[in-house]
Amino acid sequence: MNVTAFHDVVLVGGGGAGLRAAIAIAETNPRLSIAVVSKVYPMRSHTVSAEGGSAGVVRPDDSLDEHAYDTISGGDWLCDQDAVEAFVKEAPEELLRLEHWGCPWSREPDGRIAVRAFGGMRKMRTWFAADKTGFHMLHTLFQTSLKYTRVVRYDEWFAASLLVDDGRVQGVVALELMSGKIEAITAKAVILCTGGCGRVFPFTTNANIKNGDGMALAYRAGAPLKDMEFVQYHPTGLPFTGILITEACRSEGGYLLNKDGYRYLQDYGLGKPEAKPVLRSMELGPRDRLSQAFVKEHEKGRTIETPYGPVVHLDLRHLGEQLINTKLPFVRELCLKYQNIDPVTELIPVRPVAHYMMGGVHTDIHGATPLLGLYAAGEAACVSINGANRLGSNSLPELLVFGARAGRAAAAYASSAAEPRSAVLAQAEDERRRMQRDLLHKIDGRERLAPLRDELHQSMEQSAGIYRSGNSLAQAAVKLRELQDRFRHVALQDHSRTFNTELMAALELSFMLDVGEAIVESALRREESRGAHQRTDFPARDDQRFLAHSLVYRNADGSCRVEYRPVTITRWPPGERVYGR
Amino acid sequence: MADRIILQVTRYRPEDEAQPTFREYEVPCPKEWVVLDGLNYVKDHLDGTLSHRWSCRMGICGSCGMTVNGEPKLTCATFLSDYAPGPVRVEPLANFPIIRDLVVEIGDFMQKLAHVKPWIIRQEEKPLSEGEYQQTPEELDAYKQYSMCINCMLCYAACPVYGLDPKFLGPAAIALAQRYNLDSRDQGEKERMELLSQHEGIWGCTFVGDCTKACPKNVDPAGAIQRYKLKAALAWLKDIFVPRGAK
């Protein structure tokens, strides 16, 4: 077995969290060798699609405690409050650091950083770069990372498994797409920064690359996944494509209207309609409540039917062309190019769309997983600051704060950890043979990828959508076992070594099946409704039984085991979530 | 409108074929479908061996640039129905080596991006405790357009100079240098000027302007190159005519 290289720290994923971690490692210990292993060129990473903004307290009328409270109540008290306190404290520093690195933040006329309102936030604290905030953050991070010569990139390398020996993670086995080589990249520490898994759902804002890779890698290596039942539906996606129409539309004053032109959110405990946006009210309520209100509105027959499902309307017309062009130019571009609609004069059809995973690889406040040498940050991880429902504009600062934390922690660990052992090379060789035998060279299977993926999608949408029930989840659990079994009989059509995207898609589908099972099993066990997890058979929050994080482990036979651990409460005892008053 | 359309797609697997060839696939053509949807339909339903890059499907990740009926396009932003009744010819981006099918090798482009030092350069860093660098909306506007590049490389595929001389730094890299030069927080223009003033830097450009036409994000790399040429020429004149010591 070849070892392509030895590094001190390997990062899997080159998006916002991965690049921030890479820079943090380089600055913590310049002697460490850092590898960024990413299945796409870093600037293609999905951070690029984030639109609305990035929260961090900067204004004198705001406070860290208020950001913490908004985050914790927004998360329906499932957030670990020590993690939230660290997060809100470090978020402004991280955003400022990005300013010093050149991020083109939008400005006030006097040159200071501008902030905008965002859903569930009681103060204006969301920094933004028009409505391409993720794009600008990612490119700033990527361009800045080019300064650091200790950062070696493995662009278009797909990490297929973790190397674990002696209870320690010691690298990855990765497939180089261009050549088809499968090699070991060993390291003292690995940080998973692969983002979310929206692609387990059929209708999602997530890019094609969001397959839960890092979650599955950790899960298979024995690390638990935390709070996987909490899947965020963003209330405003374009029908058919699922393209995200940012919440910033509503912070700038957009209305959500039903088929009668009525601002229906007033019927769902979110306050009274005012002409101007009111913080933590109506269209600026949290995403879980807004997506749930859509379902109820549909049940009342007050949505609009389209060939791509029911929609409501997002109305920006009263904002005027100038505001739309300066604050929401990407939204206008997306509507014009993909929906053939001009939001200056027309209503935008929108519907809820799977968007973000609150859950992920279980880590502590430093990004460390229970598995020695393994770290995770960003959407792939669950620290947890997002609890049962993430507030809009908290994910971008999260990947900075916890990317940097994981980077520093991994650097400290790698500075004194033992070298990888030779036993992992035998493991890597086994993994290479497995990939060749079971996928690349196999010709006699009866299953194809696309139908299996379609069935996974249907099952996830029917069982783990905005509203769930024990029955539908139990059925999905059986179905996913069946799909896992059928996956063993997949045969590829493509047996080429060169840039074999079918092979990569098979590895991704296999990851998605594991992650899908983890979501369904966690959702089935949580017999309560909290945040984004709404059970029709258990409609109330149950703090007695479930003020706890779920941890899902993979058993040796591939099945799941769910355990619970307490939520850390520091200063904000569980209370009622109040919006609009 | 016809409900199906023919795609003529470049196929090339270096292990099996000496030269790229075309293969035809018939795909559905609903009005919402873009060229990329057609390729994904081929991959999922007709021929699993087709390789192409794509990710965000919303025109921001820059992965899915290809040549559609002879023009460089983001395939996620190019509607199939605009080419009805077809056929639609889909080829890899021009001016880059083909790895396979619709996938091109972009290592050269990645090196050129890094070559122009695309990061903030300052003599002295201000500590974080002193807050942000003030930058008015007007100062932001001075470079904003050039910060919009998504690295999709359509401009390189459109550039006749890059096609003839791969040493030419090319439109996106020069626009990126300009993005930092014009940023009020940056002091690295001189360093970058030295990199860019070489032959393969800005002088290679003959101002054809095809890069600006191809750009899906209105970055205007041709404008960036012209501004830079002017600046470099003035600096050169100053070097010649102004006595040393008076600069």
Side-chain angles (χ1 to χ4, degrees), chain A residues 100 102 107 113 143 156 333 337-338 493-494 496 498-499 501, chain B residues 15 48 51 53 76 79 100 118 131 133 135 179-180 185 217:
Chain A
H100 284 217
R107 304 285 177 152
I113 296 292
Q143 288 156 13
E156 298 194 322
E333 180 189 334
K337 276 195 186 159
Y338 293 93
Q493 292 178 329
D494 191 348
S496 165
T498 309
F499 220 96
T501 51
Chain B
E15 296 145 84
S51 276
R53 290 189 182 107
C76 76
F79 286 92
R100 168 179 177 168
Y133 294 98
Q135 185 168 70
R179 173 253 174 274
Y180 281 94
R185 297 166 288 189
K217 296 286 148 180

PDB file of all heavy atoms in Angstrom, chain A residues 100 102 107 113 143 156 333 337-338 493-494 496 498-499 501, chain B residues 15 48 51 53 76 79 100 118 131 133 135 179-180 185 217:
ATOM      1  N   HIS A 100     -10.334  41.868   8.406  1.00  0.00           N
ATOM      2  CA  HIS A 100      -8.920  42.199   8.225  1.00  0.00           C
ATOM      3  C   HIS A 100      -8.305  41.394   7.076  1.00  0.00           C
ATOM      4  O   HIS A 100      -7.330  41.811   6.471  1.00  0.00           O
ATOM      5  CB  HIS A 100      -8.149  41.939   9.523  1.00  0.00           C
ATOM      6  CG  HIS A 100      -8.394  43.001  10.563  1.00  0.00           C
ATOM      7  ND1 HIS A 100      -7.415  43.463  11.421  1.00  0.00           N
ATOM      8  CD2 HIS A 100      -9.509  43.704  10.882  1.00  0.00           C
ATOM      9  CE1 HIS A 100      -7.922  44.387  12.221  1.00  0.00           C
ATOM     10  NE2 HIS A 100      -9.185  44.545  11.915  1.00  0.00           N
ATOM     11  N   GLY A 102      -9.869  40.825   4.392  1.00  0.00           N
ATOM     12  CA  GLY A 102     -10.346  41.362   3.120  1.00  0.00           C
ATOM     13  C   GLY A 102     -11.779  41.063   2.744  1.00  0.00           C
ATOM     14  O   GLY A 102     -12.220  41.414   1.652  1.00  0.00           O
ATOM     15  N   ARG A 107     -21.237  47.969   4.210  1.00  0.00           N
ATOM     16  CA  ARG A 107     -20.839  49.034   5.145  1.00  0.00           C
ATOM     17  C   ARG A 107     -21.935  50.064   5.346  1.00  0.00           C
ATOM     18  O   ARG A 107     -22.774  50.297   4.472  1.00  0.00           O
ATOM     19  CB  ARG A 107     -19.600  49.760   4.586  1.00  0.00           C
ATOM     20  CG  ARG A 107     -18.428  48.869   4.290  1.00  0.00           C
ATOM     21  CD  ARG A 107     -17.719  48.444   5.547  1.00  0.00           C
ATOM     22  NE  ARG A 107     -16.633  47.514   5.248  1.00  0.00           N
ATOM     23  CZ  ARG A 107     -15.540  47.396   6.013  1.00  0.00           C
ATOM     24  NH1 ARG A 107     -15.397  48.127   7.095  1.00  0.00           N
ATOM     25  NH2 ARG A 107     -14.621  46.518   5.692  1.00  0.00           N
ATOM     26  N   ILE A 113     -18.877  48.566   9.719  1.00  0.00           N
ATOM     27  CA  ILE A 113     -19.596  47.360   9.315  1.00  0.00           C
ATOM     28  C   ILE A 113     -21.103  47.593   9.442  1.00  0.00           C
ATOM     29  O   ILE A 113     -21.565  48.118  10.464  1.00  0.00           O
ATOM     30  CB  ILE A 113     -19.196  46.196  10.257  1.00  0.00           C
ATOM     31  CG1 ILE A 113     -17.721  45.860  10.104  1.00  0.00           C
ATOM     32  CG2 ILE A 113     -20.093  44.991  10.056  1.00  0.00           C
ATOM     33  CD1 ILE A 113     -17.349  45.260   8.779  1.00  0.00           C
ATOM     34  N   GLN A 143      -8.553  32.444  -0.503  1.00  0.00           N
ATOM     35  CA  GLN A 143      -7.449  33.262  -1.008  1.00  0.00           C
ATOM     36  C   GLN A 143      -6.428  33.509   0.095  1.00  0.00           C
ATOM     37  O   GLN A 143      -5.213  33.459  -0.136  1.00  0.00           O
ATOM     38  CB  GLN A 143      -8.011  34.558  -1.610  1.00  0.00           C
ATOM     39  CG  GLN A 143      -8.735  34.270  -2.946  1.00  0.00           C
ATOM     40  CD  GLN A 143      -9.776  35.295  -3.340  1.00  0.00           C
ATOM     41  OE1 GLN A 143      -9.842  36.379  -2.770  1.00  0.00           O
ATOM     42  NE2 GLN A 143     -10.603  34.952  -4.312  1.00  0.00           N
ATOM     43  N   GLU A 156      -9.963  17.495  -5.164  1.00  0.00           N
ATOM     44  CA  GLU A 156     -10.661  16.397  -5.847  1.00  0.00           C
ATOM     45  C   GLU A 156     -10.120  15.032  -5.419  1.00  0.00           C
ATOM     46  O   GLU A 156      -9.924  14.139  -6.233  1.00  0.00           O
ATOM     47  CB  GLU A 156     -10.654  16.599  -7.364  1.00  0.00           C
ATOM     48  CG  GLU A 156     -11.389  17.881  -7.743  1.00  0.00           C
ATOM     49  CD  GLU A 156     -11.727  18.021  -9.221  1.00  0.00           C
ATOM     50  OE1 GLU A 156     -10.913  17.618 -10.065  1.00  0.00           O
ATOM     51  OE2 GLU A 156     -12.817  18.546  -9.515  1.00  0.00           O
ATOM     52  N   GLU A 333     -31.155  38.123  -9.182  1.00  0.00           N
ATOM     53  CA  GLU A 333     -30.492  37.362 -10.247  1.00  0.00           C
ATOM     54  C   GLU A 333     -31.040  35.923 -10.317  1.00  0.00           C
ATOM     55  O   GLU A 333     -31.339  35.408 -11.398  1.00  0.00           O
ATOM     56  CB  GLU A 333     -28.979  37.356  -9.973  1.00  0.00           C
ATOM     57  CG  GLU A 333     -28.152  36.597 -10.998  1.00  0.00           C
ATOM     58  CD  GLU A 333     -26.681  36.436 -10.568  1.00  0.00           C
ATOM     59  OE1 GLU A 333     -26.172  37.274  -9.782  1.00  0.00           O
ATOM     60  OE2 GLU A 333     -26.054  35.456 -10.997  1.00  0.00           O
ATOM     61  N   LYS A 337     -33.004  34.425 -13.434  1.00  0.00           N
ATOM     62  CA  LYS A 337     -32.338  33.400 -14.235  1.00  0.00           C
ATOM     63  C   LYS A 337     -32.981  32.030 -14.110  1.00  0.00           C
ATOM     64  O   LYS A 337     -32.928  31.245 -15.041  1.00  0.00           O
ATOM     65  CB  LYS A 337     -30.867  33.286 -13.806  1.00  0.00           C
ATOM     66  CG  LYS A 337     -29.967  34.306 -14.468  1.00  0.00           C
ATOM     67  CD  LYS A 337     -28.509  33.904 -14.295  1.00  0.00           C
ATOM     68  CE  LYS A 337     -27.593  34.993 -14.815  1.00  0.00           C
ATOM     69  NZ  LYS A 337     -26.250  34.882 -14.242  1.00  0.00           N
ATOM     70  N   TYR A 338     -33.494  31.706 -12.939  1.00  0.00           N
ATOM     71  CA  TYR A 338     -33.962  30.335 -12.714  1.00  0.00           C
ATOM     72  C   TYR A 338     -35.478  30.214 -12.641  1.00  0.00           C
ATOM     73  O   TYR A 338     -36.014  29.131 -12.741  1.00  0.00           O
ATOM     74  CB  TYR A 338     -33.323  29.761 -11.444  1.00  0.00           C
ATOM     75  CG  TYR A 338     -31.843  29.560 -11.577  1.00  0.00           C
ATOM     76  CD1 TYR A 338     -30.941  30.529 -11.182  1.00  0.00           C
ATOM     77  CD2 TYR A 338     -31.348  28.385 -12.137  1.00  0.00           C
ATOM     78  CE1 TYR A 338     -29.573  30.345 -11.321  1.00  0.00           C
ATOM     79  CE2 TYR A 338     -29.981  28.188 -12.279  1.00  0.00           C
ATOM     80  CZ  TYR A 338     -29.102  29.172 -11.869  1.00  0.00           C
ATOM     81  OH  TYR A 338     -27.753  28.985 -12.026  1.00  0.00           O
ATOM     82  N   GLN A 493     -21.806   0.954 -13.983  1.00  0.00           N
ATOM     83  CA  GLN A 493     -21.569   0.802 -15.430  1.00  0.00           C
ATOM     84  C   GLN A 493     -20.151   1.244 -15.775  1.00  0.00           C
ATOM     85  O   GLN A 493     -19.596   0.849 -16.780  1.00  0.00           O
ATOM     86  CB  GLN A 493     -22.566   1.662 -16.213  1.00  0.00           C
ATOM     87  CG  GLN A 493     -23.998   1.169 -16.091  1.00  0.00           C
ATOM     88  CD  GLN A 493     -24.977   2.051 -16.839  1.00  0.00           C
ATOM     89  OE1 GLN A 493     -24.772   3.259 -16.970  1.00  0.00           O
ATOM     90  NE2 GLN A 493     -26.040   1.457 -17.332  1.00  0.00           N
ATOM     91  N   ASP A 494     -19.620   2.110 -14.919  1.00  0.00           N
ATOM     92  CA  ASP A 494     -18.331   2.735 -15.223  1.00  0.00           C
ATOM     93  C   ASP A 494     -17.222   2.014 -14.472  1.00  0.00           C
ATOM     94  O   ASP A 494     -17.185   2.032 -13.241  1.00  0.00           O
ATOM     95  CB  ASP A 494     -18.403   4.214 -14.800  1.00  0.00           C
ATOM     96  CG  ASP A 494     -17.216   5.019 -15.305  1.00  0.00           C
ATOM     97  OD1 ASP A 494     -16.235   4.415 -15.774  1.00  0.00           O
ATOM     98  OD2 ASP A 494     -17.293   6.260 -15.236  1.00  0.00           O
ATOM     99  N   SER A 496     -13.953   2.585 -15.303  1.00  0.00           N
ATOM    100  CA  SER A 496     -12.741   3.338 -15.625  1.00  0.00           C
ATOM    101  C   SER A 496     -12.096   3.886 -14.348  1.00  0.00           C
ATOM    102  O   SER A 496     -12.766   4.143 -13.353  1.00  0.00           O
ATOM    103  CB  SER A 496     -13.119   4.497 -16.546  1.00  0.00           C
ATOM    104  OG  SER A 496     -12.078   5.427 -16.605  1.00  0.00           O
ATOM    105  N   THR A 498     -10.195   6.718 -14.523  1.00  0.00           N
ATOM    106  CA  THR A 498     -10.065   8.162 -14.692  1.00  0.00           C
ATOM    107  C   THR A 498     -11.365   8.892 -14.376  1.00  0.00           C
ATOM    108  O   THR A 498     -12.385   8.651 -15.016  1.00  0.00           O
ATOM    109  CB  THR A 498      -9.666   8.495 -16.145  1.00  0.00           C
ATOM    110  OG1 THR A 498      -8.547   7.699 -16.497  1.00  0.00           O
ATOM    111  CG2 THR A 498      -9.334   9.966 -16.295  1.00  0.00           C
ATOM    112  N   PHE A 499     -11.309   9.753 -13.393  1.00  0.00           N
ATOM    113  CA  PHE A 499     -12.425  10.623 -13.006  1.00  0.00           C
ATOM    114  C   PHE A 499     -13.760   9.881 -13.041  1.00  0.00           C
ATOM    115  O   PHE A 499     -14.702  10.256 -13.753  1.00  0.00           O
ATOM    116  CB  PHE A 499     -12.486  11.880 -13.883  1.00  0.00           C
ATOM    117  CG  PHE A 499     -12.837  13.104 -13.084  1.00  0.00           C
ATOM    118  CD1 PHE A 499     -11.840  13.944 -12.610  1.00  0.00           C
ATOM    119  CD2 PHE A 499     -14.156  13.387 -12.753  1.00  0.00           C
ATOM    120  CE1 PHE A 499     -12.159  15.054 -11.838  1.00  0.00           C
ATOM    121  CE2 PHE A 499     -14.476  14.497 -11.982  1.00  0.00           C
ATOM    122  CZ  PHE A 499     -13.469  15.329 -11.525  1.00  0.00           C
ATOM    123  N   THR A 501     -16.944   9.403 -11.730  1.00  0.00           N
ATOM    124  CA  THR A 501     -17.928  10.039 -10.838  1.00  0.00           C
ATOM    125  C   THR A 501     -19.015   9.057 -10.415  1.00  0.00           C
ATOM    126  O   THR A 501     -19.704   9.299  -9.423  1.00  0.00           O
ATOM    127  CB  THR A 501     -18.578  11.264 -11.501  1.00  0.00           C
ATOM    128  OG1 THR A 501     -19.069  10.892 -12.789  1.00  0.00           O
ATOM    129  CG2 THR A 501     -17.586  12.406 -11.649  1.00  0.00           C
TER     130      THR A 501
ATOM    131  N   GLU B  15      -8.348   5.884 -21.196  1.00  0.00           N
ATOM    132  CA  GLU B  15      -7.931   4.480 -21.167  1.00  0.00           C
ATOM    133  C   GLU B  15      -8.443   3.721 -22.391  1.00  0.00           C
ATOM    134  O   GLU B  15      -7.886   2.703 -22.767  1.00  0.00           O
ATOM    135  CB  GLU B  15      -8.467   3.794 -19.901  1.00  0.00           C
ATOM    136  CG  GLU B  15      -7.885   4.370 -18.625  1.00  0.00           C
ATOM    137  CD  GLU B  15      -8.897   4.384 -17.485  1.00  0.00           C
ATOM    138  OE1 GLU B  15      -9.029   3.355 -16.820  1.00  0.00           O
ATOM    139  OE2 GLU B  15      -9.546   5.416 -17.265  1.00  0.00           O
ATOM    140  N   GLY B  48     -24.468   5.623 -17.185  1.00  0.00           N
ATOM    141  CA  GLY B  48     -23.769   5.937 -15.931  1.00  0.00           C
ATOM    142  C   GLY B  48     -22.300   6.249 -16.112  1.00  0.00           C
ATOM    143  O   GLY B  48     -21.628   6.661 -15.164  1.00  0.00           O
ATOM    144  N   SER B  51     -19.067  11.466 -17.305  1.00  0.00           N
ATOM    145  CA  SER B  51     -18.510  12.249 -16.188  1.00  0.00           C
ATOM    146  C   SER B  51     -18.582  13.742 -16.478  1.00  0.00           C
ATOM    147  O   SER B  51     -18.167  14.194 -17.543  1.00  0.00           O
ATOM    148  CB  SER B  51     -17.053  11.853 -15.916  1.00  0.00           C
ATOM    149  OG  SER B  51     -17.008  10.713 -15.091  1.00  0.00           O
ATOM    150  N   ARG B  53     -18.661  17.706 -13.990  1.00  0.00           N
ATOM    151  CA  ARG B  53     -18.630  18.313 -12.661  1.00  0.00           C
ATOM    152  C   ARG B  53     -19.867  19.183 -12.457  1.00  0.00           C
ATOM    153  O   ARG B  53     -20.278  19.908 -13.355  1.00  0.00           O
ATOM    154  CB  ARG B  53     -17.409  19.231 -12.509  1.00  0.00           C
ATOM    155  CG  ARG B  53     -16.072  18.554 -12.439  1.00  0.00           C
ATOM    156  CD  ARG B  53     -15.033  19.615 -12.056  1.00  0.00           C
ATOM    157  NE  ARG B  53     -13.677  19.093 -11.992  1.00  0.00           N
ATOM    158  CZ  ARG B  53     -12.734  19.352 -12.898  1.00  0.00           C
ATOM    159  NH1 ARG B  53     -13.013  20.116 -13.944  1.00  0.00           N
ATOM    160  NH2 ARG B  53     -11.531  18.861 -12.753  1.00  0.00           N
ATOM    161  N   CYS B  76     -25.713  25.111 -15.463  1.00  0.00           N
ATOM    162  CA  CYS B  76     -26.841  25.194 -14.535  1.00  0.00           C
ATOM    163  C   CYS B  76     -27.687  26.419 -14.808  1.00  0.00           C
ATOM    164  O   CYS B  76     -28.772  26.559 -14.256  1.00  0.00           O
ATOM    165  CB  CYS B  76     -26.367  25.193 -13.090  1.00  0.00           C
ATOM    166  SG  CYS B  76     -25.674  26.755 -12.527  1.00  0.00           S
ATOM    167  N   PHE B  79     -30.823  27.264 -20.191  1.00  0.00           N
ATOM    168  CA  PHE B  79     -32.026  26.446 -20.367  1.00  0.00           C
ATOM    169  C   PHE B  79     -31.969  25.635 -21.655  1.00  0.00           C
ATOM    170  O   PHE B  79     -31.590  26.138 -22.712  1.00  0.00           O
ATOM    171  CB  PHE B  79     -33.280  27.327 -20.342  1.00  0.00           C
ATOM    172  CG  PHE B  79     -33.610  27.795 -18.963  1.00  0.00           C
ATOM    173  CD1 PHE B  79     -33.129  28.994 -18.481  1.00  0.00           C
ATOM    174  CD2 PHE B  79     -34.361  26.992 -18.106  1.00  0.00           C
ATOM    175  CE1 PHE B  79     -33.397  29.401 -17.187  1.00  0.00           C
ATOM    176  CE2 PHE B  79     -34.638  27.402 -16.816  1.00  0.00           C
ATOM    177  CZ  PHE B  79     -34.145  28.608 -16.349  1.00  0.00           C
ATOM    178  N   ARG B 100     -11.353  13.857 -18.949  1.00  0.00           N
ATOM    179  CA  ARG B 100     -12.290  12.830 -19.370  1.00  0.00           C
ATOM    180  C   ARG B 100     -13.631  13.486 -19.702  1.00  0.00           C
ATOM    181  O   ARG B 100     -14.058  14.397 -18.985  1.00  0.00           O
ATOM    182  CB  ARG B 100     -12.503  11.846 -18.218  1.00  0.00           C
ATOM    183  CG  ARG B 100     -13.658  10.929 -18.476  1.00  0.00           C
ATOM    184  CD  ARG B 100     -13.873   9.951 -17.382  1.00  0.00           C
ATOM    185  NE  ARG B 100     -15.062   9.180 -17.740  1.00  0.00           N
ATOM    186  CZ  ARG B 100     -15.436   8.088 -17.155  1.00  0.00           C
ATOM    187  NH1 ARG B 100     -14.731   7.597 -16.173  1.00  0.00           N
ATOM    188  NH2 ARG B 100     -16.518   7.467 -17.549  1.00  0.00           N
ATOM    189  N   PRO B 118      -3.390  36.787  -4.001  1.00  0.00           N
ATOM    190  CA  PRO B 118      -4.742  37.298  -3.769  1.00  0.00           C
ATOM    191  C   PRO B 118      -5.110  37.299  -2.290  1.00  0.00           C
ATOM    192  O   PRO B 118      -5.956  36.524  -1.842  1.00  0.00           O
ATOM    193  CB  PRO B 118      -5.615  36.310  -4.563  1.00  0.00           C
ATOM    194  CG  PRO B 118      -4.876  35.012  -4.455  1.00  0.00           C
ATOM    195  CD  PRO B 118      -3.408  35.366  -4.389  1.00  0.00           C
ATOM    196  N   GLY B 131     -10.482  47.151  16.082  1.00  0.00           N
ATOM    197  CA  GLY B 131     -11.711  47.133  15.281  1.00  0.00           C
ATOM    198  C   GLY B 131     -11.460  47.014  13.791  1.00  0.00           C
ATOM    199  O   GLY B 131     -10.361  46.668  13.355  1.00  0.00           O
ATOM    200  N   TYR B 133     -11.147  47.951   9.703  1.00  0.00           N
ATOM    201  CA  TYR B 133     -10.685  49.001   8.807  1.00  0.00           C
ATOM    202  C   TYR B 133     -11.935  49.675   8.263  1.00  0.00           C
ATOM    203  O   TYR B 133     -12.806  49.016   7.717  1.00  0.00           O
ATOM    204  CB  TYR B 133      -9.875  48.429   7.648  1.00  0.00           C
ATOM    205  CG  TYR B 133      -8.572  47.788   8.065  1.00  0.00           C
ATOM    206  CD1 TYR B 133      -8.464  46.415   8.239  1.00  0.00           C
ATOM    207  CD2 TYR B 133      -7.443  48.573   8.277  1.00  0.00           C
ATOM    208  CE1 TYR B 133      -7.266  45.828   8.618  1.00  0.00           C
ATOM    209  CE2 TYR B 133      -6.241  47.998   8.661  1.00  0.00           C
ATOM    210  CZ  TYR B 133      -6.157  46.622   8.828  1.00  0.00           C
ATOM    211  OH  TYR B 133      -4.977  46.057   9.206  1.00  0.00           O
ATOM    212  N   GLN B 135     -14.276  51.386   5.772  1.00  0.00           N
ATOM    213  CA  GLN B 135     -14.341  51.342   4.305  1.00  0.00           C
ATOM    214  C   GLN B 135     -15.725  51.822   3.902  1.00  0.00           C
ATOM    215  O   GLN B 135     -16.720  51.172   4.210  1.00  0.00           O
ATOM    216  CB  GLN B 135     -14.094  49.909   3.813  1.00  0.00           C
ATOM    217  CG  GLN B 135     -14.033  49.782   2.307  1.00  0.00           C
ATOM    218  CD  GLN B 135     -13.503  48.424   1.877  1.00  0.00           C
ATOM    219  OE1 GLN B 135     -14.170  47.408   2.045  1.00  0.00           O
ATOM    220  NE2 GLN B 135     -12.300  48.393   1.306  1.00  0.00           N
ATOM    221  N   ARG B 179      -8.777  43.180  -7.861  1.00  0.00           N
ATOM    222  CA  ARG B 179      -9.699  43.214  -6.733  1.00  0.00           C
ATOM    223  C   ARG B 179      -8.964  43.616  -5.457  1.00  0.00           C
ATOM    224  O   ARG B 179      -9.460  44.410  -4.666  1.00  0.00           O
ATOM    225  CB  ARG B 179     -10.379  41.835  -6.585  1.00  0.00           C
ATOM    226  CG  ARG B 179     -11.242  41.669  -5.334  1.00  0.00           C
ATOM    227  CD  ARG B 179     -10.544  40.748  -4.330  1.00  0.00           C
ATOM    228  NE  ARG B 179     -11.270  40.685  -3.075  1.00  0.00           N
ATOM    229  CZ  ARG B 179     -11.119  41.562  -2.065  1.00  0.00           C
ATOM    230  NH1 ARG B 179     -10.316  42.598  -2.203  1.00  0.00           N
ATOM    231  NH2 ARG B 179     -11.797  41.415  -0.952  1.00  0.00           N
ATOM    232  N   TYR B 180      -7.771  43.091  -5.242  1.00  0.00           N
ATOM    233  CA  TYR B 180      -7.020  43.453  -4.035  1.00  0.00           C
ATOM    234  C   TYR B 180      -6.338  44.809  -4.179  1.00  0.00           C
ATOM    235  O   TYR B 180      -6.302  45.598  -3.234  1.00  0.00           O
ATOM    236  CB  TYR B 180      -6.025  42.344  -3.666  1.00  0.00           C
ATOM    237  CG  TYR B 180      -6.726  41.199  -2.964  1.00  0.00           C
ATOM    238  CD1 TYR B 180      -7.190  40.096  -3.660  1.00  0.00           C
ATOM    239  CD2 TYR B 180      -6.997  41.271  -1.592  1.00  0.00           C
ATOM    240  CE1 TYR B 180      -7.883  39.069  -3.023  1.00  0.00           C
ATOM    241  CE2 TYR B 180      -7.689  40.249  -0.938  1.00  0.00           C
ATOM    242  CZ  TYR B 180      -8.130  39.148  -1.667  1.00  0.00           C
ATOM    243  OH  TYR B 180      -8.818  38.153  -1.028  1.00  0.00           O
ATOM    244  N   ARG B 185      -8.060  48.629   1.934  1.00  0.00           N
ATOM    245  CA  ARG B 185      -7.325  48.038   3.055  1.00  0.00           C
ATOM    246  C   ARG B 185      -5.972  47.471   2.622  1.00  0.00           C
ATOM    247  O   ARG B 185      -5.151  47.103   3.449  1.00  0.00           O
ATOM    248  CB  ARG B 185      -8.156  46.898   3.679  1.00  0.00           C
ATOM    249  CG  ARG B 185      -9.452  47.364   4.272  1.00  0.00           C
ATOM    250  CD  ARG B 185     -10.391  46.204   4.571  1.00  0.00           C
ATOM    251  NE  ARG B 185     -10.949  45.609   3.357  1.00  0.00           N
ATOM    252  CZ  ARG B 185     -11.915  44.694   3.350  1.00  0.00           C
ATOM    253  NH1 ARG B 185     -12.409  44.251   4.491  1.00  0.00           N
ATOM    254  NH2 ARG B 185     -12.389  44.210   2.209  1.00  0.00           N
ATOM    255  N   LYS B 217     -20.979  36.649 -14.294  1.00  0.00           N
ATOM    256  CA  LYS B 217     -21.165  37.439 -13.073  1.00  0.00           C
ATOM    257  C   LYS B 217     -20.826  38.916 -13.277  1.00  0.00           C
ATOM    258  O   LYS B 217     -20.633  39.641 -12.303  1.00  0.00           O
ATOM    259  CB  LYS B 217     -20.291  36.852 -11.952  1.00  0.00           C
ATOM    260  CG  LYS B 217     -20.710  35.437 -11.559  1.00  0.00           C
ATOM    261  CD  LYS B 217     -22.002  35.437 -10.754  1.00  0.00           C
ATOM    262  CE  LYS B 217     -22.794  34.184 -11.024  1.00  0.00           C
ATOM    263  NZ  LYS B 217     -24.053  34.135 -10.280  1.00  0.00           N
TER     264      LYS B 217
END
